[in-house]
Amino acid sequence: MKCVKVISFKKDLYGLVKNLEAQMRKAGVEIRLNTEVTQERVEREAPDVLVLALGAAPIVPSIPGTDSPRAVLGTGLSEPKVAIGKKVVILGGGLVGCESAVHLAQQGKEVTLVEMMEDIAVEANVRQRPILLDMLAELHVKVKTRTKGVRITDQGLVCTDDSGNETLFEADTVVVSVGQRALREAVTGLLDAAPEVVQVGDCVKPQKVTEALYRGYHAGLDI
Ligand SMILES: Cc1cc2nc3c(=O)[nH]c(=O)nc-3n(C[C@H](O)[C@H](O)[C@H](O)COP(=O)(O)OP(=O)(O)OC[C@H]3O[C@@H](n4cnc5c(N)ncnc54)[C@H](O)[C@@H]3O)c2cc1C
């Protein structure tokens, strides 16, 4: 959830994170930052129950150029060392791609959003989606659907249409935002670390905060 801090229209979500932190501290939960949970560490601490909430990682598509200095992961936009050029192409029109487009357009970038499916932000809820689409239109974000990113070059993102015709979308920065994958390998490595192991949140399936909180709360009730 570190990503929400710098995005102006996510301040309520950031507030929720700070509120949860305050509630944990008040309830006497010991919070250890910069501490990687490994099988050895868990065995040393010997908890009765281990709750795994390891989260998800961004998917890196298997197209040439994702290692180019022009390519940036959508989840990395809030990192101070990540420089974003004036002309930006966003690869992927899911929620993260659309919100990244709004955020960057609000900063005065020229943004084009490329999505291979028929539509964008399909996973947004019925109240959120029209607002998001209006914001994209008001900020003059160019939206290209049925357009598939096939390689990142030193000029931008090359895409194909339904007929296989190639078009170059020029960009100083290509923001790669094609989804998240659950950190299943990390979970699997910890499944035998404690007598009882419970999995919650995005490490089971990448979803949203509501689902992660719901599962986490019910895991707590069950213990
Ligand atoms: C860019 C982006 C924007 C999003 N925006 C929204 C939004 O607006 N609204 C919404 O509802 N949802 C949003 N989501 C989804 C939401 O962030 C997740 O559903 C939610 O954070 C899942 O919570 P979690 O606790 O399962 O995982 P996370 O919040 O990802 O937390 C997992 C934590 O575990 C830590 N960790 C991993 N492995 C280890 C280890 N071995 N040892 C110690 N720590 C470890 C990680 O560093 C991380 O801090 C967004 C996701 C992304 C990527």
Side-chain angles (χ1 to χ4, degrees), residues 1-74:
M1 294 301 296
K2 305 163 205 97
C3 52
V4 301
K5 193 173 176 181
V6 296
I7 299 185
S8 61
F9 54 91
K10 295 244 180 174
K11 65 176 190 319
D12 289 347
L13 194 51
Y14 186 61
L16 172 71
V17 175
K18 297 312 284 176
N19 181 282
L20 288 170
E21 183 185 339
Q23 285 190 50
M24 281 196 289
R25 292 195 189 278
K26 200 170 159 197
V29 176
E30 185 189 339
I31 301 172
R32 293 189 214 165
L33 299 176
N34 302 309
T35 307
E36 187 184 359
V37 175
T38 58
Q39 176 142 8
E40 299 70 50
R41 184 182 288 275
V42 181
E43 282 170 0
R44 217 169 38 238
E45 308 251 342
D48 297 322
V49 185
L50 172 66
V51 178
L52 296 175
L54 302 178
I59 295 172
V60 179
S62 49
I63 60 169
T66 51
D67 54 352
S68 137
R70 253 165 226 261
V72 169
L73 287 172

Side-chain angles (χ1 to χ4, degrees), residues 42 45 86 143 157 206 220:
V42 181
E45 308 251 342
K86 172 81 179 159
V143 177
L157 179 69

Side-chain angles (χ1 to χ4, degrees), residues 86 110 126 173 182:
K86 172 81 179 159
E110 288 167 31
V126 284
T173 305

Side-chain angles (χ1 to χ4, degrees), residues 92-160:
L95 266 181
V96 172
C98 290
E99 290 183 347
S100 302
V102 169
H103 171 62
L104 293 171
Q106 283 177 337
Q107 293 186 335
K109 312 287 184 191
E110 288 167 31
V111 185
T112 302
L113 182 71
V114 167
E115 165 59 52
M116 66 179 181
M117 308 299 278
E118 300 259 342
D119 226 335
I120 58 168
V122 288
E123 71 270 45
N125 68 44
V126 284
R127 280 192 300 152
Q128 181 188 23
R129 190 163 186 269
I131 297 170
L132 194 52
L133 297 185
D134 281 353
M135 285 172 99
L136 290 168
E138 276 163 25
L139 289 160
H140 308 291
V141 172
K142 294 189 198 99
V143 177
K144 304 281 175 192
T145 52
R146 300 174 76 155
T147 304
K148 188 174 180 181
V150 290
R151 63 182 178 278
I152 297 167
T153 70
D154 54 10
Q155 290 172 298
L157 179 69
V158 177
C159 296
T160 55

